Amino acid sequence: MSNQLHKLQSKISSLYESTIIKRPFAVLTFLFALTTLAILGLPNFKLDASADSLTLEHDNTIDYFREINQRYQRGDFLVVTYSPKADMFSDESINTLKKLRDDLAKVEGVQSVNSMIDVPLIYSPMRSLTEQKESTRTLVTPGVDREQAKKEFLTSPIYRNMLLSPDGKTTALLMNLDVNNHAIELVRKRDALRAKRDSEGLSAEEKKELDLVSDEYLKYRTAAAATDGARVEIVRHIAEKYRANAEIFLGGVTMITSDMLTYIKSDLVVFGAVLVAFIIFVLALIFRQWRFIILPLATCLTSVALMLGWLSWIDWRLTVISSNFVALLLIMAFAFTIYVVVRYREIHAQHADWSQAHLVMATAKAMVEPCLFSALTTIVAFMSLVMSGIRPVIDFGWMMTIGLTVAFILSFVIVPAGLMLLPKGEPKDRGDKSAKLTLPFSRIAEFHGGKVIAVTLLLSLVSVWGLSKLEVENRFIDYFHSDSEIYRGLSVIDKQLGGTATLEIILDAPKATESTETPAANAAQEEDPFADVSTSTKSTEESDDPFADPASAVSTTPKIKSYWFSVGGMDQIKQLHDYLESLPEVGKVQSLAISYQVAQDINGGKLNDFELGVMRSALSKDIQDILIAPYLSDEKQQARITLRVKETTPNLRRAELVERIKQHAINDVKLQPDQVHFTGMLTLYNNMLASLFESQIKTIFVVFISIVLMMLALFRSFSIALIAIFPNILAAGIVLGGMGLTGIPLDMMTTTIAAIVVGVGVDQSIQYIYRFKEEFAQCGSYVESMHRSHASIGRAMFYSSATIVIGFSILALSQFIPSIYFGVLTSFAMFTAIIGTLTLLPKLILIFKPLGAEKF
């Protein structure tokens, strides 16, 4: 086996020498052509912040979410808040509101715009059903008492906590966006085929169909993202025209997505440019030779260009999470080149009489093994992210795996080939064994080792305590600075207009009644001559808010009576509705309970099933579209409750809130567990957060086991493997524990920190131990080997770590809070990791002496 391995190594060495060493110009020319081809694909580079990029892999809840959206025709929406300087109900303010409404209605893709001047007034004053059906009154109807209307907006079960703020100074305009039913059908079909592919396999025809459907949906999604971004900018432009007379803010999922992409694009450009500039500065500071600035920089930039170009050509899109891929790849490529250049300069200083080919080949042979294992261990760390179950995290893991492979290869191509094209020159590395930046750490390990161990134990205990407090609870509003437009807009909507995060509760009828009518319904049908003309409740509602005005609504006669549109069903819904309104985290709640309350108010008392049927048939279509259609499906025997959660609620716990609601529905309302379903963006996001926490545990465990096994393969020592990984596991624990103690939750970006810290940190540990073994073989003394290692490879480790720490700190200037957390925490983690590698790691080696007895 060893002979075969030796032969393989000899063949690889001969191939390397015959190409890189002997034909460097041809190799670099080919690489230049390949990079140029990759760069030509960059115009197709895209960022993705769609629902697909923020949800779990094979998550059935997102398919259910789309199914409910299609059934009730609930599309996305934009919210514009309007706070006029004049009195809200003055002619001036109402006329301005009309103009604003009309301008917003002209925006492409907006089906309707609804506001307090559009919705029907029912309590101003209370009128009979006949009068309500004959004519609908709104705020702008001549003769309407505006004080009564204001009171209705503030107190009626339909509009309170939704249309008008409690102080009467702010109202909302809801822009209902078109529902792309074709796109929903495409994505549901694609997901169904993917699920079948992963569970039982696909036929040749099904594979072809999956490819076609996936391509078509991707085109729809791309076009929709561009349209959404353009629409947000148009709405901002319209709002700007009216800001002289009112304070106006924007809100809604599409706006959050658009702003997130804007911030991330800005971070990519600014952070990337500053990081490249800092790399140039560090290279100039360390080496003070143009060749050792240009060649490492060329390696870093070529790695990024090849990867981004390839991703663009195959349309593999970066997401909010994987957007940090560029910075990490730059840093990892920089680390590899630093190790190679430092070793070349050392060999050159020791053997100034060697030829350039001999020097370059010796450097490659000396560094390929430690760098290979460094790359492999880092790849293992990032591959662990594939287990997360979250699509963008999985993609990030694969991108980094491929990118690291490219960076490793290029480090042993561009730098060596470039050196072969340049004259050898005089050695500039004077063997600076004083190494003022790194030797103090080896002295700490030698003379203050006890303190190092004591601090390590203390930090370990604190980290475990902090990890027990680590949470994944996040709020969208906290992703933005408090002085940003989006934060202020979301805050107004959340605090004054009924909340921001949407949650839907879908109630199925008891199974015994799903295909048959309830006895009460049968009786009502026999008694009610108007039952046959009651309108369909198939919803075309465009939003969570009942004042949405679906233009495509069509009233038809229901074929069967709904279980829920009966006194018994209504009482259950009302019981749950009232409970939801009592929760401090919940803002506006909408359901059939509102129509039930309105009917009782009009009737002057409680209704029976017959009177409910009469009321339903007597309501005008526009009122039915508000009170009934969004919350009832006769065909599916289903009722829908929508609510908005106040994200600004202190100590909001989404999962606990959903569980409390579910338990109340089962234990108090007496619904069966299979009757109660939850959907909406809050549910989808909560599922992702829960998976984040679970993936952290899996990631750390898998990384630990995998890297220990790789260390065993490299060093043939279990003790060395444990010693090498411990400082980096500690660094990850310190950061995650610190997050727990300071109340910083895991989010979609910080969830990758553990893998990054362990992966990059172990890379440094391998380099250090590998060099330590070489020095020990020469001098036979653990202490002397430590000082020599700190003075040689320790410098390269220090420089690469300093680049990471300072480079990622630049993200503190981002406008996107998760990017700030990611940058600052990664910087702190890498600072902790390098301190541990330069102090704790050598101290553990001195204690356990894993290389055997010293040779005197």
Side-chain angles (χ1 to χ4, degrees), residues 731 734-735 738 757 805 809 822-833:
I734 289 172
V735 173
V757 173
V805 170
S809 297
F822 178 82
V824 172
L825 291 172
T826 301
S827 295
F828 176 67
M830 290 313 305
F831 173 78
T832 307

Side-chain angles (χ1 to χ4, degrees), residues 196 201-212:
K196 185 178 180 182
L202 298 176
S203 65
E205 289 186 2
E206 288 173 327
K207 290 179 181 178
K208 185 177 180 180
E209 183 181 18
L210 175 58
D211 291 337
L212 291 174

Side-chain angles (χ1 to χ4, degrees), residues 260-400:
M260 276 177 28
L261 288 177
T262 299
Y263 292 150
I264 291 168
K265 287 177 182 177
S266 174
D267 288 345
L268 275 173
V269 174
V270 175
F271 182 40
V274 174
L275 187 56
V276 169
F278 186 72
I279 286 175
I280 294 173
F281 171 76
V282 171
L283 291 171
L285 181 67
I286 299 172
F287 301 124
R288 303 177 187 275
Q289 286 181 281
W290 280 109
R291 65 178 63 190
F292 296 125
I293 297 174
I294 295 172
L295 293 177
L297 183 64
T299 303
C300 297
L301 295 180
T302 303
S303 300
V304 172
L306 284 175
M307 282 301 300
L308 287 183
W310 176 64
L311 293 175
S312 300
W313 276 115
I314 65 173
D315 201 14
W316 192 358
R317 305 176 183 189
L318 294 187
T319 64
V320 175
I321 295 173
S322 56
S323 61
N324 294 304
F325 156 78
V326 174
L328 283 167
L329 186 56
L330 274 174
I331 287 169
M332 292 308 301
F334 174 75
F336 288 140
T337 57
I338 284 287
Y339 296 140
V340 172
V341 169
V342 166
R343 193 55 181 267
Y344 170 83
R345 285 161 60 90
E346 289 177 356
I347 295 174
H348 190 191
Q350 295 168 5
H351 305 281
D353 57 328
W354 284 6
S355 68
Q356 181 75 312
H358 195 175
L359 289 173
V360 172
M361 198 65 193
T363 300
K365 286 182 177 180
M367 295 307 299
V368 67
E369 188 173 340
C371 285
L372 174 62
F373 275 90
S374 294
L376 289 175
T377 51
T378 308
I379 285 171
V380 166
F382 283 106
M383 279 293 292
S384 67
L385 297 177
V386 175
M387 298 179 58
S388 71
I390 304 171
R391 182 73 261 168
V393 177
I394 294 171
D395 285 348
F396 181 49
W398 281 114
M399 287 177 184
M400 284 305 305

Side-chain angles (χ1 to χ4, degrees), residues 85-158:
K85 294 179 180 179
D87 182 77
M88 177 66 73
F89 290 87
S90 67
D91 290 340
E92 178 187 350
S93 297
I94 290 177
N95 289 333
T96 303
L97 184 59
K98 284 182 186 178
K99 293 176 182 178
L100 176 58
R101 188 261 327 260
D102 293 341
D103 284 348
L104 294 174
K106 296 174 185 177
V107 177
E108 184 179 356
V110 176
Q111 189 182 80
S112 62
V113 179
N114 298 102
S115 67
M116 68 179 193
I117 61 175
D118 302 293
V119 297
L121 297 174
I122 296 176
Y123 292 83
S124 305
M126 180 71 71
R127 298 187 298 161
S128 67
L129 288 175
T130 303
E131 291 176 308
Q132 298 280 7
K133 191 167 186 178
E134 286 176 354
S135 64
T136 300
R137 294 161 61 88
T138 68
L139 182 62
V140 294
T141 300
V144 166
D145 186 326
R146 292 182 181 179
E147 283 301 318
Q148 278 194 337
K150 179 179 180 180
K151 183 178 179 181
E152 177 168 348
F153 292 143
L154 291 173
T155 62
S156 78
I158 310 173

Side-chain angles (χ1 to χ4, degrees), residues 157-214:
I158 310 173
Y159 304 129
R160 66 171 177 257
N161 296 326
M162 182 182 70
L163 275 178
L164 191 64
S165 62
D167 61 7
K169 295 181 179 180
T170 302
T171 188
L173 297 92
L174 183 76
M175 300 172 63
N176 301 303
L177 306 182
D178 291 330
V179 180
N180 194 330
N181 289 299
H182 183 58
I184 294 176
E185 290 168 1
L186 283 175
V187 69
R188 294 192 68 197
K189 191 172 186 179
R190 182 204 66 180
D191 290 350
L193 287 169
R194 283 181 175 179
K196 185 178 180 182
R197 175 196 63 191
D198 296 338
S199 61
E200 55 187 274
L202 298 176
S203 65
E205 289 186 2
E206 288 173 327
K207 290 179 181 178
K208 185 177 180 180
E209 183 181 18
L210 175 58
D211 291 337
L212 291 174
V213 169
S214 297

